[in-house]
Amino acid sequence: MSGYFDGIAPVRYGSGEDIAFHHYNPDEIVAGKRMEDQLRFAVAYWHSFAWPGGDPFGGQTFERPWFGDTMDHARLKADAAFDLFELLDAPYFCFHDADVRPEGANFAESTKNLNEIVDIFQKKMESAKVKLLWGTANLFSHRRFMAGAATNPDPEVFAYSAATVKTCMDATHRLGGENYVLWGGREGYETLLNTDLKRELDQLGRFLTMVVEYKHKIGFEGTILVEPKPQEPTKHQYDYDVATVYAFLQKNGLENEVKLNIEQGHAILAGHTFEHEIALANALGVFGSIDMNRNDYQSGWDTDQFPNNVPEVALAYYEVLRGGGFTTGGTNFDAKLRRQSLDPADLVAAHAGAMDVCARGLKAAAAMLSDGALERPRTERYAGWSQKWAREMLDSDLASIEQAVLQNDLSPSPRSGRQEVLENIVNRYV
Ligand code: XLS
Ligand code: NI
Ligand code: NI
């Protein structure tokens, strides 16, 4: 116990406490499963425990007793983190190496620090409910990674990165993690003028292949997830969006080995909706997990805010459910408090509110799906394709199709896409 959250009651459904769940009821059955098992919430260690509250114009605003570079600070941070998991009854958490341990003087010391904290996690997890949704390596904050990790022009940085990922995969495996994530923080470029794009992509492909090979070598049964993002921090990131990552996986023969962790804010930054990215990943068979946080629509800053818009979230879960729901993935809050939200209660309330927003979104999505409110019109729209001639056409060729068009004097008549009608239907549920 850290004592940090003293005075805040456990957040429970209908508890009547100041901070309670009003919609997230873990045991309620939604779309055939307990809500907890559908949503699979995870608390992100970095933003909740390691982020100091800075913005481009000012530094730290948060004062946490565990801020500092020693192992004692890291141990206190672990205590506070597990206190929050328990307060929220959170089923999962996620972490980077750099969130949980101080940087050592060299690679060996950093690894030793990590392993000591992982020992503590392991001990705590014996009695705690919380499990590890995913682990990952921070290959973007330290200055050694400023020109990338796997895509760095310096092979020593590639080596350091590969070794770091190995230690983080070991840690994830040891803690029974259900996934391992690779977000290409600085795997991209600032200017083409100094960049050998083909070489960097080849390096990235080889790196990811080594990750998959190592997964099999150690018998890690979790899913390897790549998290697309189009830019930020680099001007151009190679893992731009779902479509780009899929092509990259195919090129490297990894499309059956790797799935995607899709973040709402990253989807929007790429010029897509969140639901587009989820739907596309499902269509391509690579949907894995989600990071449920987006940036501010007006300022565009990387505010990584907790979800607070039910209709948006409902459309995202609609695509998740249409694809069959999560398997090893879940809903990770890769989300920051606003920098004026200084109090321990703010951290608890942010998660509680976000879990409620997601629960409302999930319930709306499940109802839309089970009523067939959108699926019926969708099926009708494509009904023509169930005709025999239409299916056979796809196995024929352009010349025979031309013949058939002439013979039957085909003259297709356009039909309404009924978008407003469908939007009205959605509005009844959210
Ligand atoms: C940054 C990413 C990052 C990953 C994990 O924008 O979202 O937080 O989720 O490295
Ligand atoms: Ni992000
Ligand atoms: Ni993320």
Side-chain angles (χ1 to χ4, degrees):
M1 292 287 282
S2 65
Y4 186 68
F5 296 102
D6 279 359
I8 302 175
V11 185
R12 298 294 179 265
Y13 179 70
S15 71
E17 297 287 344
D18 283 351
I19 308 174
F21 296 126
H22 299 275
H23 303 277
Y24 174 59
N25 179 5
D27 291 320
E28 186 179 324
I29 304 291
V30 177
K33 276 191 207 167
R34 294 174 63 246
M35 230 192 255
E36 181 176 87
D37 302 331
Q38 286 286 14
L39 291 161
R40 297 166 60 85
F41 289 129
V43 176
Y45 212 97
W46 51 106
H47 291 322
S48 289
F49 297 99
W51 183 61
D55 72 10
F57 296 88
Q60 175 172 348
T61 56
F62 298 162
E63 288 171 340
R64 313 289 197 213
W66 56 83
F67 281 175
D69 291 334
T70 69
M71 281 300 284
D72 278 343
H73 287 107
R75 282 187 277 268
L76 180 60
K77 182 165 32 171
D79 287 345
F82 276 74
D83 287 346
L84 181 67
F85 306 155
E86 200 182 317
L87 269 183
L88 294 169
D89 198 29
Y92 290 100
F93 74 110
C94 303
F95 73 95
H96 303 79
D97 51 353
D99 313 329
V100 303
R101 55 101 179 107
E103 178 86 19
N106 55 18
F107 178 79
E109 198 188 338
S110 291
T111 305
K112 181 171 163 283
N113 291 349
L114 174 66
N115 288 336
E116 265 180 58
I117 297 295
V118 170
D119 288 341
I120 293 173
F121 285 179
Q122 206 169 17
K123 189 106 205 32
K124 286 178 180 291
M125 287 167 76
E126 280 168 15
S127 55
K129 159 184 177 143
V130 78
K131 292 186 286 183
L132 181 62
L133 186 65
W134 46 265
T136 187
N138 179 327
L139 303 178
F140 43 90
S141 292
H142 193 280
R143 64 191 292 276
R144 75 172 70 85
F145 301 120
M146 71 181 186
T151 60
N152 203 289
D154 178 354
E156 288 194 12
V157 180
F158 184 101
Y160 201 100
S161 307
T164 302
V165 165
K166 182 211 168 271
T167 63
C168 292
M169 288 177 76
D170 289 341
T172 302
H173 187 36
R174 185 141 73 91
L175 295 172
E178 299 191 20
N179 307 270
Y180 183 84
V181 164
L182 295 113
W183 168 58
R186 293 183 195 273
E187 310 291 25
Y189 60 79
E190 302 299 340
T191 173
L192 269 182
L193 298 176
N194 65 11
T195 302
D196 183 341
L197 193 138
K198 179 173 185 328
R199 179 191 289 272
E200 293 200 1
L201 284 171
D202 288 347
Q203 281 174 213
L204 192 59
R206 188 62 199 120
F207 193 92
L208 188 56
T209 305
M210 286 184 195
V211 168
V212 169
E213 287 166 357
Y214 190 66
K215 161 192 156 145
H216 291 302
K217 182 171 174 202
I218 61 176
F220 176 63
E221 285 178 1
T223 311
I224 303 292
L225 298 171
V226 166
E227 183 175 326
K229 188 174 184 182
Q231 64 261 329
E232 204 192 47
T234 62
K235 177 182 167 57
H236 175 90
Q237 299 211 180
Y238 295 130
D239 295 336
Y240 200 92
D241 59 2
V242 169
T244 313
V245 174
Y246 186 71
F248 175 81
L249 294 178
Q250 263 194 325
K251 176 164 191 297
N252 291 282
L254 296 172
E255 71 273 21
N256 297 320
E257 292 281 0
V258 175
K259 292 191 167 17
L260 272 53
N261 181 40
I262 301 170
E263 179 166 313
Q264 186 185 22
H266 299 181
I268 296 165
L269 209 53
H272 305 302
T273 60
F274 194 22
E275 57 271 24
H276 163 88
E277 289 289 79
I278 297 170
L280 182 59
N282 269 325
L284 297 169
V286 290
F287 174 72
S289 200
I290 59 175
D291 276 5
M292 185 57 102
N293 49 283
R294 66 163 171 82
N295 300 338
D296 182 90
Y297 283 133
Q298 276 77 47
S299 74
W301 281 9
D302 195 358
T303 47
D304 275 333
Q305 58 205 43
F306 284 88
N308 51 20
N309 183 319
V310 175
E312 257 179 24
V313 165
L315 292 179
Y317 283 118
Y318 188 73
E319 295 302 334
V320 173
L321 290 179
R322 268 191 90 216
F326 294 119
T327 51
T328 63
T331 303
N332 173 43
F333 297 119
D334 187 356
K336 300 181 187 117
L337 292 173
R338 286 15 181 270
R339 72 197 289 269
Q340 294 181 54
S341 303
L342 303 177
D343 300 341
D346 293 322
L347 200 50
V348 181
H351 284 91
M355 289 157 88
D356 262 352
V357 167
C358 291
R360 286 186 63 189
L362 177 79
K363 283 189 270 191
M368 285 194 284
L369 203 59
S370 71
D371 291 355
L374 296 171
E375 296 314 307
R376 254 192 317 277
R378 194 196 314 257
T379 308
E380 271 165 33
R381 189 158 185 251
Y382 292 90
W385 283 98
S386 56
Q387 300 169 88
K388 188 160 168 279
W389 75 265
R391 289 198 311 272
E392 282 172 2
M393 170 171 62
L394 295 181
D395 293 324
S396 68
D397 55 77
L398 293 187
S400 343
I401 294 175
E402 187 203 22
Q403 280 281 312
V405 170
L406 286 170
Q407 256 166 31
N408 298 299
D409 191 18
L410 277 197
S411 172
S413 50
R415 287 184 305 152
S416 171
R418 304 176 68 200
Q419 185 168 345
E420 290 79 1
V421 173
L422 299 171
E423 286 164 350
N424 294 352
I425 292 177
V426 170
N427 205 35
R428 293 213 304 267
Y429 288 85
V430 298

